[in-house]
Amino acid sequence: GHTSRRSLGVVGKLSVDQARTRARRLHSQMQGEADTHVTVEEVAKKFFHHIEKQKHSDEVVRYFERDLKGWYPRTLASITKKDVIAAIDAKRRTPTAAHHLFSHMRRFFNWAIARDLLEHSPCDRIKAQQLIGAKKIRTRVLTDDELRRVWKGASKLSPEYRDAIHLYILTGLRREEVASARRSEIDIANRVWRLPAGRMKSNAVHEVPLAGKALAIVEGLMSATGEDGYLFGYRLNGFSKVKAKLDLLAWPTPHWTIHDLRRTFRTRLSGLGIAEHVAELAIGHARKGLQRVYDQHRYDKELREAFDAWDKALDRILSAEPERSKLLSQPADTKRRSYPALARDLPVSKLSPSGE
């Protein structure tokens, strides 16, 4: 860079306060001129590096790469409130994802402001609740028949997604906790899946006892050669497409999500008589209040018993006859074609790890 002189005015005709005001304004203009060439992509890379050791950093990168990549060639200062609203509107069909995207954008722009890369955030004065709606609390729990249909439907997917869906049912883990599983986390000798704190929402190490079917699945995955240390060979993605196919294969199982399998797992543990504090530890929830300070017992034996009990209960569910209940109405887009025909038309044997 080089030093340049700028005139503030004529001495004697300009008060000290006026000179200071003009100097601040000029400095702001010069700073803006210096940063006008900085693109969103350049700043985003610095932001990703800043958060790479923080939990859920992978999720932030995925949202940017998938939903905001069109901004990358543009300068950071050119992003407006309208751009932010347009990005949110594009996700309104999935309100939870829209809320997450807005949260990531707001965090990114605030970080840029803190580092003097931007003067104002385009997220200012945008209220997510007004734009997207309030976050809805889901209470969906799958019935025995629905669990059986999802399990058997998943068996017709490609092997990696079949195993992933089955592990969601067996372990109660979150989607990304399974999708990004690493081979180094698996301890076959002790039958434990040990997730590091950096991959858990609670920011604490979570140990999943591997029982029965879960152990068999993980042993099979460990026997294969994986790239980059991923348990499935790569980080699983494309779950929107997988879920759409599974909806047909598991029909009629309406209005369910991958995360509902986690809620179902937790609810079923209560139904099996598992103590609440053990059931909460089983899904990786942090201990609360004084228990977090004074109760340092690991509950390894109790957790092992809980996962064993759920494995046996699931065996009974999968081997039981489906209830002879009134079938649900077919979705509007299947009225002219039967469900089996639709399922046959979809290529479920192979799914590429493309974006969602």
Side-chain angles (χ1 to χ4, degrees):
H2 63 277
T3 302
S4 63
R5 291 175 178 270
R6 302 291 178 93
S7 174
L8 298 178
V10 180
V11 177
K13 293 185 178 181
L14 202 65
S15 69
V16 174
D17 287 340
Q18 289 174 325
R20 285 173 178 164
T21 299
R22 290 191 182 185
R24 282 193 292 266
R25 186 183 302 123
L26 183 59
H27 178 267
S28 179
Q29 291 172 351
M30 293 174 67
Q31 190 69 27
E33 290 170 4
D35 291 336
T36 53
H37 69 284
V38 179
T39 65
V40 172
E41 184 174 20
E42 290 171 330
V43 179
K45 286 180 179 178
K46 294 178 182 178
F47 177 63
F48 297 157
H49 178 71
H50 172 72
I51 66 171
E52 66 180 350
K53 293 184 179 179
Q54 299 176 18
K55 60 182 180 180
H56 308 311
S57 60
D58 288 347
E59 177 184 295
V60 176
V61 175
R62 282 199 310 277
Y63 269 92
F64 269 72
E65 293 288 324
R66 182 183 59 201
D67 302 309
L68 304 177
K69 205 163 187 176
W71 291 2
Y72 279 14
R74 297 173 55 181
T75 61
L76 184 66
S78 74
I79 305 301
T80 66
K81 184 177 179 180
K82 287 185 178 180
D83 293 319
V84 172
I85 293 173
I88 295 172
D89 283 343
K91 303 287 287 184
R92 290 191 69 177
R93 291 185 62 184
T94 51
T96 300
H99 276 286
H100 288 168
L101 176 61
F102 178 67
S103 176
H104 298 324
M105 286 191 292
R106 182 172 55 191
R107 181 183 175 191
F108 167 68
F109 287 118
N110 287 342
W111 177 85
I113 289 172
R115 278 146 189 81
D116 209 20
L117 299 171
L118 190 66
E119 188 172 351
H120 300 293
S121 170
C123 293
D124 286 349
R125 297 183 177 276
I126 296 179
K127 295 187 181 297
Q129 186 167 327
Q130 293 178 355
L131 197 61
I132 307 167
K135 292 183 179 180
K136 295 182 179 179
I137 299 175
R138 288 184 63 84
T139 58
R140 178 80 161 90
V141 173
L142 276 66
T143 65
D144 285 2
D145 282 352
E146 290 172 335
L147 270 176
R148 186 163 46 247
R149 286 193 288 265
V150 170
W151 182 279
K152 292 182 178 180
S155 298
K156 298 176 184 178
L157 298 173
S158 59
E160 62 270 36
Y161 289 99
R162 172 201 65 202
D163 291 343
I165 298 297
H166 288 172
L167 285 173
Y168 289 128
I169 294 172
L170 289 162
T171 65
L173 288 169
R174 297 178 181 87
R175 190 176 77 174
E176 192 57 32
E177 290 163 1
V178 171
S180 294
R182 296 278 182 168
R183 299 168 68 84
S184 59
E185 298 169 359
I186 306 300
D187 182 352
I188 293 294
N190 292 303
R191 297 180 296 146
V192 170
W193 180 350
R194 189 174 293 105
L195 289 86
R199 291 222 302 120
M200 295 299 299
K201 191 174 182 179
S202 62
N203 202 30
V205 174
H206 178 47
E207 293 190 355
V208 177
L210 294 171
K213 291 177 288 300
L215 179 61
I217 291 170
V218 171
E219 284 180 330
L221 291 168
M222 289 293 287
S223 66
T225 302
E227 299 177 10
D228 298 325
Y230 284 111
L231 181 62
F232 293 94
Y234 58 91
R235 189 188 70 78
L236 297 183
N237 54 26
F239 276 96
S240 296
K241 296 176 183 178
V242 174
K243 175 61 165 51
K245 292 180 169 77
L246 186 52
D247 280 343
L248 293 177
L249 293 168
W251 188 85
T253 304
H255 314 303
W256 71 282
T257 68
I258 299 294
H259 196 75
D260 291 339
L261 299 177
R262 174 174 167 84
R263 185 181 305 104
T264 300
F265 170 84
R266 172 62 181 83
T267 301
R268 294 310 182 101
L269 291 188
S270 289
L272 291 169
I274 306 300
E276 181 180 359
H277 63 282
V278 175
E280 285 292 286
L281 289 173
I283 58 173
H285 280 175
R287 304 181 196 197
K288 298 177 181 179
L290 292 176
Q291 185 188 32
R292 188 170 190 172
V293 177
Y294 291 103
D295 186 0
Q296 298 301 312
H297 182 59
R298 289 172 54 87
Y299 292 98
D300 290 340
K301 177 176 177 291
E302 293 84 353
L303 285 167
R304 174 73 63 186
E305 291 172 349
F307 278 86
D308 284 341
W310 172 232
D311 186 73
K312 292 181 176 64
L314 188 58
D315 276 338
R316 292 191 292 272
I317 291 171
L318 296 177
S319 61
E321 290 294 326
E323 293 181 7
R324 295 181 177 276
S325 56
K326 185 178 180 181
L327 289 177
L328 299 173
S329 299
Q330 289 186 352
D333 60 351
T334 66
K335 285 183 178 178
R336 295 187 180 181
R337 303 172 63 195
S338 67
Y339 158 70
L342 274 172
R344 284 197 303 272
D345 292 345
L346 286 169
V348 296
S349 60
K350 287 291 181 182
L351 293 169
S352 63
S354 57
E356 293 182 49

